[in-house]
Coordinates of all heavy atoms in Angstrom, one line a residue:
M1 N 93.1 106.5 87.5 CA 91.7 107.1 87.9 C 90.9 106.0 88.5 O 90.2 106.1 89.5 CB 91.1 107.7 86.7 CG 89.9 108.5 87.1 SD 90.2 109.8 88.3 CE 90.5 111.2 87.2
K2 N 90.9 104.8 87.9 CA 90.2 103.6 88.3 C 90.6 103.3 89.8 O 89.7 103.0 90.6 CB 90.5 102.4 87.5 CG 89.3 101.6 87.1 CD 89.6 100.8 85.9 CE 90.1 99.4 86.2 NZ 90.4 98.6 85.0
H3 N 91.8 103.5 90.1 CA 92.3 103.2 91.4 C 91.7 104.1 92.5 O 91.4 103.7 93.6 CB 93.8 103.2 91.5 CG 94.5 102.2 90.7 ND1 95.6 102.4 89.9 CD2 94.1 100.9 90.5 CE1 95.9 101.3 89.3 NE2 95.1 100.4 89.6
I4 N 91.6 105.4 92.1 CA 91.1 106.4 93.0 C 89.6 106.0 93.4 O 89.3 106.0 94.6 CB 91.1 107.8 92.4 CG1 92.6 108.2 92.3 CG2 90.3 108.8 93.3 CD1 92.8 109.4 91.4
F5 N 88.8 105.6 92.4 CA 87.5 105.3 92.7 C 87.4 104.0 93.5 O 86.6 103.9 94.4 CB 86.7 105.1 91.4 CG 86.4 106.5 90.7 CD1 86.7 106.7 89.4 CD2 85.8 107.5 91.4 CE1 86.5 107.9 88.8 CE2 85.5 108.7 90.8 CZ 85.9 108.9 89.5
A6 N 88.3 103.1 93.2 CA 88.3 101.8 93.9 C 88.6 102.1 95.4 O 88.0 101.5 96.3 CB 89.3 100.8 93.3
A7 N 89.6 102.9 95.6 CA 90.1 103.2 96.9 C 89.0 103.9 97.7 O 88.7 103.6 98.9 CB 91.3 104.1 96.9
L8 N 88.3 104.9 97.1 CA 87.2 105.6 97.7 C 86.1 104.6 98.1 O 85.6 104.7 99.2 CB 86.6 106.7 96.8 CG 87.6 107.9 96.6 CD1 87.0 108.8 95.6 CD2 87.8 108.6 97.9
G9 N 85.7 103.8 97.2 CA 84.7 102.8 97.4 C 85.0 101.9 98.6 O 84.2 101.6 99.4
F10 N 86.3 101.5 98.6 CA 86.7 100.6 99.6 C 86.7 101.2 101.0 O 86.3 100.7 102.0 CB 88.1 100.0 99.3 CG 88.5 98.9 100.2 CD1 87.9 97.7 100.1 CD2 89.4 99.2 101.2 CE1 88.3 96.7 101.0 CE2 89.8 98.2 102.1 CZ 89.2 96.9 102.0
T11 N 87.2 102.5 101.0 CA 87.2 103.2 102.3 C 85.8 103.3 102.9 O 85.6 103.1 104.1 CB 87.8 104.6 102.1 OG1 89.1 104.4 101.5 CG2 88.0 105.3 103.4
S12 N 84.9 103.7 102.0 CA 83.5 103.9 102.6 C 82.9 102.5 103.1 O 82.2 102.5 104.0 CB 82.6 104.6 101.6 OG 82.7 104.0 100.4
A13 N 83.3 101.5 102.4 CA 82.8 100.1 102.8 C 83.4 99.8 104.1 O 82.7 99.2 105.0 CB 83.3 99.1 101.7
V14 N 84.6 100.2 104.4 CA 85.2 99.9 105.7 C 84.5 100.6 106.8 O 84.2 100.1 107.8 CB 86.7 100.2 105.7 CG1 87.3 100.2 107.1 CG2 87.5 99.3 104.8
F15 N 84.2 101.9 106.5 CA 83.6 102.7 107.5 C 82.1 102.3 107.7 O 81.6 102.4 108.8 CB 83.6 104.2 107.1 CG 85.0 104.8 107.4 CD1 85.7 105.4 106.3 CD2 85.6 104.7 108.6 CE1 86.9 106.0 106.5 CE2 86.9 105.3 108.8 CZ 87.5 105.9 107.8
A16 N 81.5 101.7 106.7 CA 80.1 101.3 106.8 C 80.1 100.0 107.7 O 79.1 99.8 108.3 CB 79.5 101.1 105.4
G17 N 81.1 99.2 107.6 CA 81.1 98.0 108.4 C 81.4 98.2 109.9 O 81.5 99.4 110.3
S18 N 81.6 97.2 110.6 CA 81.8 97.3 112.0 C 83.2 97.9 112.3 O 83.4 98.6 113.3 CB 81.7 95.9 112.7 OG 82.8 95.1 112.3
G19 N 84.1 97.7 111.4 CA 85.5 98.2 111.6 C 86.3 97.3 112.6 O 87.4 97.6 112.8
A20 N 85.7 96.3 113.1 CA 86.3 95.5 114.1 C 87.4 94.5 113.5 O 88.4 94.3 114.1 CB 85.3 94.7 114.9
S21 N 87.1 94.1 112.3 CA 87.9 93.1 111.7 C 89.0 93.7 110.7 O 90.1 93.1 110.6 CB 87.1 92.1 110.9 OG 86.3 92.7 110.0
A22 N 88.7 94.8 110.1 CA 89.7 95.4 109.2 C 90.4 96.5 109.9 O 89.9 97.3 110.6 CB 89.0 96.0 108.0
A23 N 91.7 96.6 109.7 CA 92.5 97.6 110.3 C 93.5 98.2 109.3 O 94.1 97.5 108.6 CB 93.3 97.1 111.5
Q24 N 93.6 99.5 109.4 CA 94.5 100.2 108.5 C 95.9 100.2 109.2 O 96.0 100.5 110.4 CB 94.1 101.7 108.3 CG 94.2 102.2 106.9 CD 93.8 103.6 106.8 OE1 94.1 104.4 107.6 NE2 93.0 103.9 105.8
Q25 N 96.9 99.8 108.4 CA 98.3 99.8 108.9 C 99.2 100.6 108.0 O 98.9 100.8 106.8 CB 98.8 98.3 108.8 CG 98.0 97.3 109.6 CD 98.2 97.4 111.1 OE1 99.1 98.0 111.6 NE2 97.3 96.8 111.8
T26 N 100.2 101.1 108.6 CA 101.2 101.9 107.8 C 102.6 101.2 108.0 O 102.9 100.9 109.1 CB 101.3 103.3 108.2 OG1 100.0 103.9 108.0 CG2 102.3 104.1 107.4
V27 N 103.2 101.0 106.9 CA 104.6 100.4 106.9 C 105.5 101.2 106.1 O 105.1 101.8 105.0 CB 104.5 98.9 106.5 CG1 104.3 98.8 105.0 CG2 105.8 98.2 106.8
T28 N 106.8 101.3 106.5 CA 107.8 102.0 105.7 C 108.7 100.9 105.1 O 109.2 100.0 105.8 CB 108.6 103.0 106.5 OG1 107.7 104.0 107.0 CG2 109.7 103.7 105.7
L29 N 109.0 101.0 103.8 CA 109.8 100.1 103.1 C 111.1 100.9 102.7 O 111.0 102.0 102.2 CB 109.2 99.6 101.8 CG 107.8 98.9 102.0 CD1 107.3 98.5 100.6 CD2 107.8 97.8 102.9
A30 N 112.3 100.2 102.9 CA 113.5 100.7 102.3 C 113.6 100.1 100.9 O 113.6 98.9 100.7 CB 114.7 100.3 103.2
V31 N 113.7 101.0 99.9 CA 113.6 100.5 98.5 C 115.0 100.7 97.8 O 115.5 101.9 97.8 CB 112.5 101.3 97.7 CG1 112.4 100.8 96.3 CG2 111.2 101.2 98.5
A32 N 115.5 99.7 97.2 CA 116.7 99.7 96.5 C 116.5 100.1 95.0 O 115.4 100.0 94.5 CB 117.5 98.4 96.6
N33 N 117.6 100.5 94.4 CA 117.6 100.7 92.9 C 116.8 101.9 92.4 O 116.5 102.0 91.3 CB 117.1 99.5 92.2 CG 118.0 98.3 92.3 OD1 119.1 98.4 92.8 ND2 117.5 97.1 91.8
M34 N 116.5 102.9 93.3 CA 115.9 104.1 92.8 C 117.0 105.1 92.5 O 117.7 105.7 93.4 CB 115.0 104.7 93.9 CG 113.7 103.9 94.1 SD 112.3 104.8 94.7 CE 112.9 105.2 96.4
Y35 N 117.3 105.2 91.2 CA 118.4 106.0 90.7 C 118.1 107.3 90.0 O 118.9 108.2 89.8 CB 119.4 105.2 89.9 CG 120.0 104.0 90.6 CD1 119.8 102.7 90.1 CD2 120.7 104.2 91.8 CE1 120.4 101.6 90.8 CE2 121.2 103.1 92.5 CZ 121.1 101.8 91.9 OH 121.6 100.8 92.6
C36 N 116.8 107.4 89.5 CA 116.5 108.6 88.7 C 115.1 109.0 89.1 O 114.4 108.4 89.9 CB 116.6 108.3 87.2 SG 115.2 107.4 86.6
D37 N 114.7 110.2 88.6 CA 113.5 110.8 89.0 C 112.2 110.0 88.7 O 111.2 110.1 89.3 CB 113.3 112.2 88.3 CG 114.2 113.2 89.0 OD1 114.8 112.9 90.0 OD2 114.4 114.3 88.4
A38 N 112.3 109.1 87.7 CA 111.2 108.3 87.3 C 111.0 107.1 88.3 O 109.9 106.6 88.4 CB 111.4 107.7 85.9
C39 N 112.0 106.7 88.9 CA 111.9 105.5 89.8 C 110.9 105.6 90.9 O 110.1 104.7 91.1 CB 113.3 105.2 90.4 SG 114.4 104.6 89.2
P40 N 110.8 106.7 91.6 CA 109.8 106.8 92.7 C 108.4 106.7 92.1 O 107.5 106.1 92.8 CB 110.1 108.2 93.3 CG 111.4 108.6 92.9 CD 111.7 107.9 91.6
Y41 N 108.2 107.2 90.9 CA 106.9 107.1 90.3 C 106.5 105.7 90.0 O 105.4 105.3 90.3 CB 106.9 108.0 89.0 CG 105.6 108.0 88.3 CD1 104.5 108.8 88.7 CD2 105.4 107.1 87.2 CE1 103.3 108.7 88.1 CE2 104.2 107.1 86.5 CZ 103.2 107.9 87.0 OH 102.0 107.9 86.3
I42 N 107.5 104.9 89.5 CA 107.3 103.5 89.2 C 107.0 102.7 90.4 O 106.1 101.9 90.5 CB 108.5 102.9 88.4 CG1 108.6 103.7 87.1 CG2 108.3 101.4 88.2 CD1 110.0 103.4 86.4
V43 N 107.8 103.0 91.5 CA 107.6 102.3 92.7 C 106.2 102.6 93.3 O 105.5 101.7 93.8 CB 108.7 102.7 93.8 CG1 108.3 102.2 95.2 CG2 110.0 102.2 93.3
K44 N 105.8 103.9 93.2 CA 104.5 104.3 93.7 C 103.4 103.6 93.0 O 102.4 103.1 93.6 CB 104.4 105.8 93.6 CG 103.1 106.3 94.2 CD 103.0 107.8 94.3 CE 101.7 108.3 94.7 NZ 101.6 109.6 95.3
Q45 N 103.5 103.6 91.6 CA 102.4 102.9 90.8 C 102.4 101.4 91.1 O 101.3 100.9 91.2 CB 102.7 103.2 89.3 CG 102.6 104.6 88.9 CD 101.2 105.2 89.2 OE1 100.2 104.6 88.8 NE2 101.2 106.3 89.9
T46 N 103.5 100.8 91.3 CA 103.6 99.4 91.6 C 102.9 99.1 92.9 O 102.1 98.1 92.9 CB 105.1 98.9 91.6 OG1 105.7 99.2 90.4 CG2 105.2 97.5 91.9
L47 N 103.2 99.8 93.9 CA 102.6 99.6 95.2 C 101.1 99.9 95.2 O 100.3 99.2 95.8 CB 103.3 100.4 96.3 CG 104.7 99.9 96.6 CD1 105.4 101.0 97.4 CD2 104.6 98.6 97.4
A48 N 100.7 100.9 94.5 CA 99.3 101.3 94.4 C 98.4 100.3 93.8 O 97.2 100.2 94.0 CB 99.1 102.7 93.7
K49 N 99.0 99.4 92.9 CA 98.3 98.4 92.3 C 98.0 97.1 93.1 O 97.3 96.3 92.8 CB 99.0 97.9 91.0 CG 98.9 98.9 89.8 CD 99.7 98.4 88.6 CE 99.9 99.4 87.6 NZ 101.0 99.1 86.7
V50 N 98.8 97.1 94.2 CA 98.6 95.9 95.1 C 97.2 96.0 95.8 O 96.9 97.1 96.5 CB 99.7 95.8 96.2 CG1 99.5 94.6 97.1 CG2 101.0 95.7 95.5
P51 N 96.3 95.0 95.7 CA 95.0 95.1 96.3 C 95.2 95.3 97.8 O 95.9 94.6 98.5 CB 94.4 93.7 96.0 CG 95.1 93.2 94.8 CD 96.5 93.8 94.9
G52 N 94.4 96.3 98.4 CA 94.5 96.5 99.8 C 95.3 97.8 100.1 O 95.2 98.3 101.2
V53 N 96.1 98.2 99.2 CA 96.9 99.4 99.4 C 96.0 100.7 99.3 O 95.3 100.8 98.3 CB 98.1 99.5 98.5 CG1 98.8 100.8 98.6 CG2 99.1 98.4 98.8
E54 N 96.1 101.5 100.2 CA 95.2 102.7 100.2 C 96.0 104.0 99.8 O 95.4 104.9 99.2 CB 94.5 102.8 101.5 CG 93.6 101.6 101.7 CD 92.8 101.7 103.0 OE1 93.0 102.6 103.8 OE2 92.1 100.7 103.3
S55 N 97.2 104.1 100.3 CA 98.0 105.3 99.9 C 99.5 105.0 99.9 O 99.9 104.1 100.7 CB 97.7 106.5 100.7 OG 98.2 106.4 102.0
V56 N 100.2 105.6 99.1 CA 101.7 105.4 99.0 C 102.4 106.7 98.9 O 102.0 107.6 98.1 CB 102.0 104.6 97.7 CG1 103.5 104.3 97.6 CG2 101.2 103.3 97.6
T57 N 103.4 106.9 99.7 CA 104.3 108.1 99.6 C 105.7 107.6 99.4 O 106.2 106.8 100.2 CB 104.2 108.9 100.9 OG1 102.9 109.3 101.1 CG2 105.0 110.2 100.7
V58 N 106.4 108.0 98.3 CA 107.7 107.6 98.1 C 108.7 108.7 98.2 O 108.4 109.8 97.7 CB 107.8 107.0 96.6 CG1 109.3 106.6 96.4 CG2 106.9 105.8 96.5
S59 N 109.8 108.5 99.0 CA 110.8 109.5 99.1 C 112.0 109.1 98.3 O 112.7 108.1 98.7 CB 111.2 109.7 100.6 OG 112.4 110.5 100.7
F60 N 112.4 109.8 97.3 CA 113.6 109.5 96.5 C 114.8 109.8 97.3 O 115.8 109.1 97.3 CB 113.5 110.4 95.2 CG 114.7 110.2 94.3 CD1 115.0 108.9 93.8 CD2 115.6 111.2 94.0 CE1 116.0 108.7 92.9 CE2 116.6 111.0 93.1 CZ 116.9 109.7 92.6
E61 N 114.8 110.9 98.1 CA 115.9 111.3 98.9 C 116.3 110.2 99.9 O 117.4 109.8 100.1 CB 115.7 112.6 99.6 CG 115.6 113.8 98.7 CD 114.3 113.9 97.9 OE1 113.3 113.2 98.4 OE2 114.2 114.5 96.9
Q62 N 115.2 109.7 100.6 CA 115.5 108.7 101.7 C 115.4 107.3 101.2 O 115.7 106.3 101.9 CB 114.5 108.9 102.8 CG 114.6 110.3 103.4 CD 113.6 110.5 104.6 OE1 112.9 109.6 105.0 NE2 113.6 111.7 105.0
K63 N 115.0 107.1 99.9 CA 114.9 105.7 99.3 C 113.9 104.9 100.1 O 114.2 103.7 100.5 CB 116.3 105.0 99.3 CG 117.4 105.8 98.7 CD 117.2 106.0 97.2 CE 118.4 106.6 96.6 NZ 118.1 107.9 95.8
T64 N 112.8 105.5 100.4 CA 111.8 104.8 101.2 C 110.4 104.9 100.5 O 110.2 105.9 99.8 CB 111.7 105.3 102.6 OG1 111.3 106.7 102.6 CG2 112.9 105.1 103.4
A65 N 109.5 104.0 100.8 CA 108.1 104.1 100.5 C 107.3 103.9 101.7 O 107.5 102.9 102.4 CB 107.8 103.0 99.4
T66 N 106.4 104.8 102.0 CA 105.5 104.6 103.1 C 104.1 104.2 102.6 O 103.6 105.0 101.8 CB 105.5 105.9 103.9 OG1 106.8 106.3 104.3 CG2 104.6 105.7 105.2
V67 N 103.7 103.1 103.0 CA 102.4 102.5 102.5 C 101.4 102.4 103.6 O 101.6 101.8 104.6 CB 102.7 101.2 101.9 CG1 101.4 100.6 101.2 CG2 103.8 101.2 100.9
T68 N 100.2 102.9 103.3 CA 99.0 102.7 104.1 C 98.2 101.6 103.5 O 97.9 101.7 102.3 CB 98.2 104.0 104.4 OG1 99.1 104.9 104.9 CG2 97.1 103.7 105.3
Y69 N 97.9 100.5 104.2 CA 97.1 99.4 103.6 C 96.2 98.8 104.6 O 96.3 99.1 105.8 CB 98.1 98.4 103.1 CG 98.9 97.7 104.2 CD1 98.5 96.5 104.8 CD2 100.0 98.3 104.8 CE1 99.2 95.9 105.8 CE2 100.7 97.7 105.8 CZ 100.3 96.5 106.3 OH 101.0 95.9 107.4
D70 N 95.2 98.0 104.1 CA 94.3 97.3 104.9 C 94.8 96.0 105.2 O 95.1 95.2 104.3 CB 92.9 97.2 104.2 CG 91.9 96.7 105.1 OD1 92.1 95.6 105.7 OD2 90.8 97.4 105.3
D71 N 95.0 95.6 106.5 CA 95.7 94.4 106.8 C 94.8 93.1 106.5 O 95.3 92.0 106.7 CB 96.3 94.4 108.2 CG 95.2 94.4 109.3 OD1 94.0 94.4 108.9 OD2 95.5 94.4 110.5
Q72 N 93.6 93.3 106.1 CA 92.7 92.2 105.7 C 93.0 91.8 104.3 O 92.7 90.7 103.9 CB 91.3 92.6 105.9 CG 90.8 92.7 107.3 CD 89.8 91.6 107.6 OE1 88.7 91.6 107.0 NE2 90.1 90.7 108.4
N73 N 93.6 92.8 103.5 CA 93.7 92.6 102.1 C 95.1 92.4 101.6 O 95.3 91.9 100.5 CB 93.0 93.7 101.3 CG 91.5 93.6 101.4 OD1 90.9 92.7 100.8 ND2 90.9 94.4 102.1
T74 N 96.0 92.8 102.4 CA 97.4 92.6 101.9 C 98.3 92.6 103.2 O 97.8 92.8 104.3 CB 97.9 93.7 101.0 OG1 99.1 93.3 100.4 CG2 98.1 95.1 101.6
R75 N 99.6 92.3 103.0 CA 100.5 92.3 104.1 C 101.9 92.8 103.5 O 102.1 92.8 102.3 CB 100.6 90.8 104.6 CG 100.9 89.8 103.5 CD 100.9 88.4 104.1 NE 99.7 88.1 104.8 CZ 99.6 87.3 105.8 NH1 100.7 86.7 106.3 NH2 98.4 87.1 106.4
P76 N 102.8 93.2 104.4 CA 104.0 93.7 104.0 C 104.8 92.8 103.0 O 105.4 93.4 102.1 CB 104.8 93.9 105.3 CG 103.7 94.1 106.3 CD 102.6 93.3 105.9
A77 N 104.7 91.5 103.2 CA 105.4 90.6 102.3 C 105.0 90.8 100.8 O 105.7 90.7 99.9 CB 105.3 89.2 102.7
A78 N 103.7 91.1 100.6 CA 103.1 91.3 99.3 C 103.6 92.6 98.7 O 103.9 92.7 97.5 CB 101.6 91.3 99.3
L79 N 103.8 93.6 99.6 CA 104.3 94.9 99.1 C 105.8 94.8 98.7 O 106.2 95.3 97.6 CB 104.2 95.9 100.3 CG 102.8 96.1 100.9 CD1 102.8 97.0 102.0 CD2 101.8 96.5 99.8
T80 N 106.6 94.1 99.5 CA 108.0 94.0 99.2 C 108.2 93.1 97.9 O 109.1 93.4 97.1 CB 108.8 93.4 100.3 OG1 108.3 92.2 100.7 CG2 108.8 94.4 101.5
S81 N 107.4 92.1 97.8 CA 107.6 91.3 96.6 C 107.1 92.0 95.3 O 107.6 91.8 94.2 CB 106.9 89.9 96.7 OG 105.5 89.9 96.4
A82 N 106.1 92.9 95.5 CA 105.6 93.6 94.3 C 106.7 94.6 93.8 O 107.0 94.7 92.6 CB 104.4 94.4 94.7
T83 N 107.4 95.3 94.7 CA 108.4 96.2 94.3 C 109.6 95.4 93.7 O 110.3 95.8 92.8 CB 108.9 97.1 95.4 OG1 109.5 96.4 96.4 CG2 107.8 98.0 95.9
T84 N 109.9 94.3 94.4 CA 111.0 93.4 93.9 C 110.8 93.0 92.5 O 111.7 93.0 91.6 CB 111.2 92.2 94.8 OG1 111.5 92.7 96.2 CG2 112.4 91.4 94.4
Q85 N 109.6 92.5 92.2 CA 109.3 92.1 90.8 C 109.4 93.2 89.8 O 109.6 93.0 88.6 CB 107.9 91.5 90.8 CG 107.9 90.0 91.3 CD 106.4 89.5 91.5 OE1 105.5 89.9 90.8 NE2 106.3 88.6 92.5
A86 N 109.2 94.4 90.3 CA 109.3 95.6 89.4 C 110.7 96.1 89.2 O 111.0 97.0 88.5 CB 108.4 96.7 89.9
G87 N 111.6 95.4 89.9 CA 113.1 95.8 89.8 C 113.6 96.6 91.0 O 114.7 97.1 90.9
Y88 N 112.8 96.7 92.0 CA 113.2 97.5 93.2 C 113.0 96.7 94.4 O 112.0 96.8 95.1 CB 112.3 98.8 93.3 CG 112.4 99.6 92.0 CD1 111.4 99.5 91.0 CD2 113.4 100.5 91.8 CE1 111.5 100.3 89.9 CE2 113.5 101.3 90.7 CZ 112.5 101.2 89.7 OH 112.6 101.9 88.6
P89 N 114.0 95.9 94.8 CA 113.9 95.1 96.0 C 113.7 96.0 97.2 O 114.4 97.1 97.3 CB 115.3 94.4 96.1 CG 115.8 94.5 94.7 CD 115.3 95.7 94.0
S90 N 112.8 95.6 98.1 CA 112.6 96.4 99.3 C 112.4 95.5 100.5 O 112.2 94.3 100.4 CB 111.3 97.3 99.1 OG 110.2 96.4 99.0
K91 N 112.6 96.2 101.6 CA 112.4 95.5 102.9 C 111.7 96.4 103.9 O 111.8 97.6 103.8 CB 113.7 94.9 103.4 CG 114.7 95.9 103.7 CD 116.0 95.3 104.2 CE 117.1 96.4 104.4 NZ 118.4 95.8 104.7
V92 N 111.0 95.8 104.8 CA 110.3 96.6 105.8 C 111.3 97.2 106.8 O 112.2 96.6 107.3 CB 109.3 95.7 106.6 CG1 108.7 96.5 107.7 CG2 108.3 95.1 105.6
V93 N 111.1 98.5 107.0 CA 111.9 99.2 108.0 C 111.2 99.1 109.3 O 110.0 99.5 109.4 CB 112.1 100.7 107.6 CG1 112.9 101.4 108.7 CG2 112.8 100.8 106.3
M94 N 111.8 98.5 110.3 CA 111.2 98.4 111.6 C 111.0 99.8 112.3 O 111.9 100.5 112.2 CB 111.9 97.4 112.5 CG 111.8 96.0 112.0 SD 110.1 95.5 111.9 CE 110.3 94.0 110.9
P95 N 109.9 100.0 112.9 CA 109.6 101.3 113.5 C 110.6 101.5 114.7 O 111.0 100.6 115.3 CB 108.2 101.2 114.0 CG 107.6 100.0 113.4 CD 108.7 99.1 113.0
Ligands
CU101 CU1 114.8 105.6 87.4

């Protein structure tokens, strides 16, 4: 719940600013080790905790996580290392 409020507050702060320096990016990660129904949930929670992440969608079927983040506050390397530390090594899928 805390995350939701933080995300909302951050979003409105971005819109209140000039918007010139902060940009929303979306990246798709290929995530290894997702073997059961709980795994996508853990991956999603792990990514949602990374500062700068705004939304996460995890596909158990495709073994991917799609992350929308603010490129001023995080970068794909931080996302992949967060999932790796949680036991789910991931890498960026090039568009
Ligand atoms: Cu699992």
